[in-house]
Amino acid sequence: MNRQEQKLQTRQRIVDAAFSLLDEDKSLSAMSLREVAREAGIAPTSFYRHFSDINELGLTLVDEAGLALRQLMRQARQRFEAGGGVIDISVDTFMEFITDNKNVFRLLLREHTGTSAAFRAAVAREIQHFTEELSDYVVLQLRLPRHIATMQAEAMVKLVFSAGAEALDTDKISVAETAKRVKVQLRFIQLGAVQYSLR
């Protein structure tokens, strides 16, 4: 393995270590550089070869979480193309994501309303990308005007994020019940958007 690959691998270890530390009791702002370095199995001084400070690491985590969300959206689209209801597949895919990536979702939820303006702005940007992708899909599938599709996508994302927060630390039965309820609520939004566009 060459030096560059080694550097990338260590950087990824730091990112993974930080994500693993983000549990229900620890937020990004409460995390120390020493803790992250210890979890990654590196010396604290080595941290600075990859990130200038803990804030830069935090912004990288937000970027990674946003990328994971966009990949999730693409994965859901592939499932739509294979056949199946868009709302059912989207919610199921999202709930699977939360179950498998609790700390990634926890980061987005927590920092969206957190104390750091830089983190709040970064999370808002990632949610905006996610909303725009959904809006593009709504325009394409339901043939709705862009402004209505955007409002529909915003309402759907807010509802799904809220349901995700509810399902985050619950058991499988509760996750399934939340998913079932949110699917019906999303259909209300979709029907409302279609009706509104016909006015």
Side-chain angles (χ1 to χ4, degrees):
M1 186 188 302
N2 68 34
R3 198 171 171 77
Q4 186 59 27
E5 284 171 337
Q6 213 167 2
K7 193 175 177 184
L8 285 171
Q9 207 173 54
T10 305
R11 183 185 165 91
Q12 191 57 49
R13 270 208 341 258
I14 294 169
V15 168
D16 293 343
F19 270 128
S20 73
L21 289 168
L22 287 170
D23 59 20
E24 58 268 30
D25 301 318
K26 188 175 287 294
S27 67
L28 209 47
S29 53
M31 200 184 295
S32 79
L33 187 152
R34 286 186 173 283
E35 266 180 309
V36 175
R38 189 171 54 242
E39 185 72 21
I42 60 165
T45 49
S46 299
F47 179 94
Y48 294 107
R49 290 192 202 119
H50 305 277
F51 299 97
S52 58
D53 57 20
I54 201 85
N55 285 337
E56 190 190 340
L57 171 62
L59 291 171
T60 300
L61 294 182
V62 171
D63 285 347
E64 293 245 339
L67 181 64
L69 263 186
R70 289 198 295 283
Q71 284 169 341
L72 172 79
M73 191 72 180
R74 283 168 203 141
Q75 188 187 333
R77 276 190 188 168
Q78 285 166 352
R79 288 180 176 182
F80 305 155
E81 281 151 24
V86 172
I87 286 174
D88 286 344
I89 288 170
S90 300
V91 172
D92 291 342
T93 306
F94 195 75
M95 291 302 178
E96 278 167 30
F97 173 77
I98 290 167
T99 304
D100 298 340
N101 305 276
K102 285 185 191 296
N103 289 355
V104 174
F105 186 65
R106 194 175 271 122
L107 169 83
L108 289 171
L109 270 184
R110 200 177 268 155
E111 300 308 327
H112 187 43
T113 55
T115 52
S116 162
F119 292 158
R120 281 200 311 273
V123 173
R125 225 177 15 252
E126 293 306 332
I127 291 172
Q128 186 58 34
H129 288 318
F130 189 62
T131 304
E132 281 165 10
E133 286 213 14
L134 182 57
S135 179
D136 290 344
Y137 189 80
V138 169
V139 167
L140 205 67
Q141 294 301 308
L142 298 179
R143 305 271 186 262
L144 292 181
R146 170 64 61 183
H147 70 287
I148 293 176
T150 300
M151 284 193 285
Q152 179 186 336
E154 280 173 4
M156 288 177 131
V157 168
K158 281 180 181 159
L159 181 61
V160 168
F161 262 69
S162 172
E166 213 178 290
L168 191 56
D169 290 305
T170 60
D171 58 32
K172 278 185 176 175
I173 294 167
S174 300
V175 171
E177 283 169 1
T178 301
K180 193 174 170 182
R181 192 174 69 250
V182 87
K183 286 172 187 177
V184 175
Q185 291 167 336
L186 288 171
R187 288 191 178 94
F188 291 166
I189 293 171
Q190 188 169 313
L191 284 167
V194 171
Q195 286 304 310
Y196 189 85
S197 73
L198 299 173
R199 283 172 47 174

